[in-house]
Amino acid sequence: MGAKRTVWCALLVVVVVGSSPGSVVTAHAQSGLPDAGLVNVAGRAGIAETTVAYHVSVADYDRDGREDFLFNRRWKVAMRLYRNAGSGRFVEDVRTNFGIADRLDCEWGDPNVDSRPDLYCSVGAQQGTATKRNELWIQQSGGGFANQAAAWNVTDPFGRGRQVTFLNFNGDRYPDLFLGNHYPRQDGIPSPNRVFVNVSGTTFRELVVPGVTAEIGARCASATDIDGDGFDDLLVCGNNALRIYRNNGNNGFQNMAPALNLNNNHADAVAVDLDGDGDRDLVLTSGGRTRVRLQTAPWVFGAARVVATGEARNVATPDIDSDGDLDLYVVRDGTNPNLADLLLRNRGSGVFDAFVVGASTSQGFAKMAAAIDHDRDGRDAVLVVNSNDGRTVPGPLELMAPVP
């Protein structure tokens, strides 16, 4: 567990954002970039294991002020719910029997608005050959969870479930739901993406949205209010192109990606404030490169600047140094051993310094990462999943934390 990756001969190319556009710093991982100073503390935290897995989802589900997480292991192995017990350690919460299902993504939300976080899980359909039922695990007053997807009308029996995100679609206080599905099904039954509108915190109503609820695919899905109008916008990595949907309230969605010259395939896309001006900026991963575009006015973004290359796959946005600026943790894939992950420390105003995460493991295949302040010291650590779902290759769950 936690073995270091041996990548000294791998060539690393990064751009330091804030330098002139197009300027490239080229260096070998050993001598060109300093180490990020992150160490794998998964063993100390009580969560170390090597397994097949899809992802992790972070939330304070028991509302005790400490961040917990769900570890979604792959088909035929049960997912684990970890409760933060304090002092940087986790214990598995076994009060709920979640059973076995091919859950591709599980995300936290509160559709019944009772302040207890719930989970929605998308489930695969055996490559489009079977029916299945997505899951909505509603947290009960005693702390356990009950699957109420049927009562909430969100089972989606024919969809090849992939990415999930809760969003504020219509401006009310009840969280709505976007479900991204893979396509096609082998039997020809449609497998479109879906939008479910929350009806007063009691059930969901499916809504057909032109340009959104179609067979597009979803390698990624995230929701945030990019333009500050009170409605969440939606980023979806489709099978063939990125969609950045502007939410026009009751007037539907408008795909802004073509106007932003973002028509190619993307592996990951998020919108977060990188430069401290209150606007959401774009972090985009495509073709193995991670790019940043800073928003200068509503729906006006500066030129794309490359911040990481070399099989970049997924980006988390922790605040590693507790300075109030979001940093970027870039998960990188590659042949076994993997390329080392990268930490891009934000100086503020969207300027980054690049560091190699030297303790990244060479086991498995890099998958995804999520920020978590596991010990409440104000500095985020990063949970890293190292298992490629397409190859069913097991890998370690890491908790990369700043050195005390």
Side-chain angles (χ1 to χ4, degrees):
M1 303 297 292
K4 292 186 178 180
R5 303 185 196 193
T6 305
V7 293
W8 304 132
C9 61
L11 186 64
L12 179 66
V13 182
V14 297
V15 171
V16 179
V17 177
S19 59
S20 60
S23 62
V24 178
V25 178
T26 304
H28 286 84
Q30 183 180 29
S31 60
L33 292 176
D35 186 85
L38 303 182
V39 294
N40 182 16
V41 298
R44 188 188 315 162
I47 60 173
E49 69 172 308
T50 296
T51 183
V52 289
Y54 280 124
H55 72 101
V56 291
S57 299
V58 175
D60 178 13
Y61 77 89
D62 57 0
R63 299 174 297 166
D64 64 355
R66 296 187 290 259
E67 290 188 312
D68 318 294
F69 73 97
L70 179 81
F71 182 32
N72 182 18
R73 302 191 300 168
R74 200 177 186 272
W75 176 239
K76 295 185 180 179
V77 288
M79 64 183 182
R80 300 189 190 279
L81 180 61
Y82 280 111
R83 180 179 61 83
N84 194 326
S87 301
R89 290 191 56 82
F90 296 88
V91 295
E92 187 174 1
D93 186 337
V94 296
R95 288 176 293 180
T96 301
N97 179 9
F98 292 104
I100 301 294
D102 189 18
R103 302 177 181 97
L104 277 290
D105 189 16
C106 295
E107 298 298 335
W108 296 97
D110 185 17
N112 57 358
V113 197
D114 65 354
S115 299
R116 292 191 291 262
D118 312 300
L119 278 168
Y120 184 74
C121 298
S122 64
V123 178
Q126 297 182 25
Q127 299 183 345
T129 63
T131 60
K132 50 78 188 182
R133 299 168 73 88
N134 289 351
E135 301 168 341
L136 178 60
W137 295 95
I138 298 294
Q139 187 173 171
Q140 306 300 293
S141 58
F145 292 80
N147 182 14
Q148 299 179 6
W152 284 75
N153 191 36
V154 286
T155 58
D156 190 28
F158 295 103
R160 296 181 62 182
R162 289 301 186 267
Q163 299 296 312
V164 176
T165 186
F166 284 93
L167 75 157
N168 181 356
F169 169 73
N170 54 9
D172 66 14
R173 70 189 186 97
Y174 301 104
D176 308 299
L177 181 64
F178 172 82
L179 169 62
N181 285 318
H182 188 58
Y183 74 95
R185 287 180 58 97
Q186 293 186 30
D187 56 16
I189 297 174
S191 179
N193 294 343
R194 301 188 186 277
V195 171
F196 295 98
V197 175
N198 193 322
V199 181
S200 302
T202 59
T203 189
F204 284 103
R205 173 175 56 88
E206 186 174 355
L207 185 67
V208 175
V209 182
V212 179
T213 54
E215 288 191 310
I216 294 169
R219 293 186 175 96
C220 79
S222 62
T224 190
D225 187 359
I226 292 177
D227 50 16
D229 65 354
F231 300 96
D232 279 346
D233 309 294
L234 186 62
L235 291 82
V236 178
C237 302
N239 287 11
N240 300 311
L242 174 68
R243 270 81 171 178
I244 303 180
Y245 296 110
R246 179 177 184 174
N247 188 342
N248 294 313
N250 294 326
N251 295 316
F253 285 99
Q254 176 187 0
N255 182 18
M256 304 295 289
L260 296 172
N261 195 28
L262 292 171
N263 296 315
N264 57 321
N265 294 341
H266 282 68
D268 199 13
V270 294
V272 293
D273 184 8
L274 295 175
D275 54 5
D277 64 357
D279 295 328
R280 303 288 179 169
D281 310 302
L282 298 177
V283 184
L284 308 164
T285 298
S286 65
R289 296 188 172 200
T290 298
R291 298 172 173 86
V292 168
R293 295 185 65 174
L294 301 181
Q295 186 172 190
T296 58
W299 295 104
V300 178
F301 294 86
R305 295 186 248 181
V306 177
V307 294
T309 68
E311 303 299 331
R313 179 185 179 109
N314 173 261
V315 180
T317 54
D319 182 1
I320 293 290
D321 43 19
S322 188
D323 63 356
D325 299 316
L326 291 179
D327 308 300
L328 301 179
Y329 186 102
V330 180
V331 177
R332 302 202 305 162
D333 204 343
T335 56
N336 200 351
N338 287 324
L339 298 175
D341 294 341
L342 300 178
L343 174 65
L344 306 176
R345 289 184 180 268
N346 194 343
R347 300 183 198 168
S349 65
V351 177
F352 296 88
D353 295 316
F355 297 83
V356 174
V357 182
S360 297
T361 74
S362 60
Q363 303 177 57
F365 294 84
K367 177 62 176 170
M368 63 84 66
I372 184 170
D373 184 3
H374 68 298
D375 56 5
R376 298 183 68 187
D377 70 349
R379 302 179 300 168
D380 285 335
V382 182
L383 286 161
V384 185
V385 175
N386 290 284
S387 175
N388 186 292
D389 51 55
R391 301 177 181 133
T392 64
V393 175
L397 173 64
E398 298 177 288
L399 179 58
M400 307 304 300
V403 175

